[in-house]
Amino acid sequence: MDFSSPSTIQSQLRHDWTIAEILNLFEIPFMDLLYQAHTIHRQHFDPNQIQASTLLSIKTGGCPEDCAYCPQSIHHQTSVESEPLLSLNQVVEAATQARAQGANRFCMGAAWRSPKERSLEKIIDMIKEVKSLGLETCVTLGMLAPGQAEQLKAAGLDYYNHNLDTSPEFYEEIITTRTYQDRLDTLAQVRAAGIYVCCGGIVGMGEDRVHRVGLLANLANLPQHPESVPINQLVKVTGTPLADAPSLDPFEFVRTIACARILMPQSFVRLSAGRETMSDELQALCFFAGANSLFCGDKLLTTPNPEMNRDQQLLKRLGLAFSATENFEKTSSSTCQSIASISS
Ligand code: SAM
Ligand code: DTB
Ligand code: SF4
């Protein structure tokens, strides 16, 4: 393929990517890869707009799953304590604050294998209240049983986050308590219920490039690309089996972002966990490579995220603005003010 002219760079919506093709993409010279990814990015998005979501852990710790990266698993001895589900009031308060800070989507995460019916009723109330604040809603609750996605959709849920995390081949080294197929089944239920899909993975877990390629292939070859693709860089947490995982070459991280952009041209690619330890320059490269979404706020679920002030300064220095909404059915939203405009 010729990567030297914008006219030869065409982004197609494909669902038949092979591992060999994606490996070839990873192997092209860095500048050519960035050029191609950025050109595709510009064909679908305003390159100066970044979507912002805020995360809240509504049920922290005590999770029965054994995900090797996760500080919330009961299988690992970390400093995260198990807490009960937050009350509706606590959630509404946090969402109101997030809205005031400029986020347009509020993501609620629960450390569950899957939601029990009684808990789901409480989540449904939370979704309704957060939506009534004019925010987009996202939840991540683990695996869904048949019918639960429909209940969430009826409550007005916009997005469901459920990650493939890594390639099928590396998966068993990371999680043994649920299968790759379990994840695909939950994603299919979410899609069938008409909820937007937020699905990505983690890199920097000691996997090889071929496993990063396998993750991207499985995301891109889903029947429909996820609307939102979070790319997490492992946050190494003391007490988890991955606490001493070897650090990923930052340029390899940028390549992963660029390849995600090329493979899923119309999806929002989210620079997710791991930003706290990334330099401003690395994040800027990621935005150039096609990342156009992030989590804002000082905390992810249990680990730190860059402080709001640092993000505001970064966006200002790069001339980027937080966008109104990524909702695919709405073209504008009056509910949110851009963080950049608040800061200026
Ligand atoms: N329990 C639910 C589940 O696993 O689907 C929802 C919450 S879980 C914390 C959501 C995602 O966070 C995981 O799929 C994983 O990709 C990401 N994650 C968890 N711990 C992480 C870490 N230490 N570093 C980077 N990403 C992490
Ligand atoms: C996702 O892919 N990343 C977010 C969100 N979805 C729920 C979570 C990151 C969690 C990082 C570890 C923690 O803070 O506990
Ligand atoms: Fe539980 Fe989700 Fe953490 Fe896995 S990633 S241990 S399912 S909270």
Side-chain angles (χ1 to χ4, degrees):
M1 217 188 294
D2 174 16
F3 299 118
S4 58
S5 159
S7 59
T8 60
I9 299 172
Q10 291 296 326
S11 58
Q12 298 161 311
L13 287 189
R14 287 181 49 192
H15 303 270
D16 59 353
W17 287 92
T18 64
I19 298 294
E21 277 179 303
I22 304 171
L23 268 175
N24 281 341
L25 274 183
F26 266 80
E27 278 160 20
I28 65 177
F30 189 73
M31 300 307 160
D32 291 338
L33 178 64
L34 256 62
Y35 180 56
Q36 188 185 5
H38 188 70
T39 304
I40 288 173
H41 188 45
R42 280 178 175 267
Q43 290 169 357
H44 297 280
F45 293 101
D46 178 341
N48 300 311
Q49 296 276 318
I50 303 290
Q51 186 272 335
S53 296
T54 295
L55 269 175
L56 177 69
S57 181
I58 56 170
K59 162 69 187 86
T60 304
C63 183
E65 301 293 285
D66 68 353
C67 311
Y69 48 75
C70 187
Q72 305 198 68
S73 165
I74 50 165
H75 299 265
H76 321 316
Q77 265 65 57
T78 71
S79 60
V80 175
E81 303 277 340
S82 180
E83 291 168 23
L85 183 64
L86 295 187
S87 70
L88 184 57
N89 276 349
Q90 286 172 304
V91 171
V92 170
E93 205 173 296
T96 307
Q97 198 183 342
R99 186 182 60 169
Q101 290 178 330
N104 59 36
R105 185 172 320 149
F106 193 68
C107 307
M108 295 168 268
W112 286 330
R113 173 176 166 79
S114 54
K116 301 210 166 53
E117 213 37 55
R118 265 201 59 223
S119 307
L120 199 71
E121 284 163 22
K122 293 183 180 163
I123 303 291
I124 283 171
D125 290 340
M126 292 174 187
I127 292 167
K128 288 180 178 163
E129 287 292 322
V130 172
K131 256 198 105 72
S132 73
L133 295 173
L135 287 160
E136 290 181 344
T137 50
C138 175
V139 294
T140 178
L141 314 171
M143 284 188 291
L144 294 179
Q148 290 188 323
E150 284 74 12
Q151 286 175 266
L152 292 168
K153 173 70 181 171
L157 182 68
D158 296 299
Y159 289 81
Y160 195 87
N161 167 243
H162 198 61
N163 292 339
L164 289 180
D165 277 349
T166 187
S167 70
E169 293 74 22
F170 193 63
Y171 184 85
E172 281 174 20
E173 301 201 21
I174 302 297
I175 302 144
T176 68
T177 48
R178 72 163 70 126
T179 66
Y180 213 74
Q181 189 58 48
D182 287 334
R183 289 178 185 261
L184 292 168
D185 291 346
T186 289
L187 291 169
Q189 292 186 39
V190 170
R191 183 57 87 195
I195 299 168
Y196 292 128
V197 172
C198 172
C199 181
I202 317 183
V203 297
M205 299 190 293
E207 76 284 346
D208 294 330
R209 176 179 276 179
V210 73
H211 301 127
R212 291 184 282 280
V213 166
L215 165 67
L216 293 181
N218 276 276
L219 292 170
N221 293 341
L222 286 169
Q224 208 175 323
H225 293 165
E227 280 74 16
S228 212
V229 180
I231 304 291
N232 297 279
Q233 174 166 279
L234 176 72
V235 180
K236 298 177 202 177
V237 181
T238 307
T240 64
L242 295 180
D244 299 317
S247 294
L248 188 66
D249 173 4
F251 295 130
E252 181 71 5
F253 185 78
V254 180
R255 283 181 188 277
T256 308
I257 297 279
C259 289
R261 167 54 62 225
I262 293 167
L263 266 53
M264 294 165 280
Q266 296 183 356
S267 304
F268 278 75
V269 175
R270 178 169 305 118
L271 198 47
S272 303
R275 284 200 307 119
E276 229 252 328
T277 54
M278 289 180 197
S279 68
D280 290 349
E281 295 82 354
L282 174 58
Q283 294 184 60
L285 262 183
C286 290
F287 295 138
F288 187 79
N292 58 349
S293 171
L294 46 74
F295 288 118
C296 61
D298 304 351
K299 206 160 131 189
L300 292 162
L301 291 171
T302 65
T303 64
N305 198 39
E307 284 180 10
M308 194 63 106
N309 192 37
R310 179 179 159 201
D311 281 344
Q312 287 170 347
Q313 290 307 318
L314 177 60
L315 262 75
K316 204 168 171 184
R317 287 162 69 205
L318 298 175
L320 298 173
F322 279 98
S323 59
T325 183
E326 82 170 58
N327 196 322
F328 289 77
E329 280 158 14
K330 297 180 213 151
T331 48
S332 68
S333 165
S334 57
T335 56
C336 4
Q337 221 182 329
S338 85
I339 293 181
S341 71
I342 290 173
S343 67
S344 60

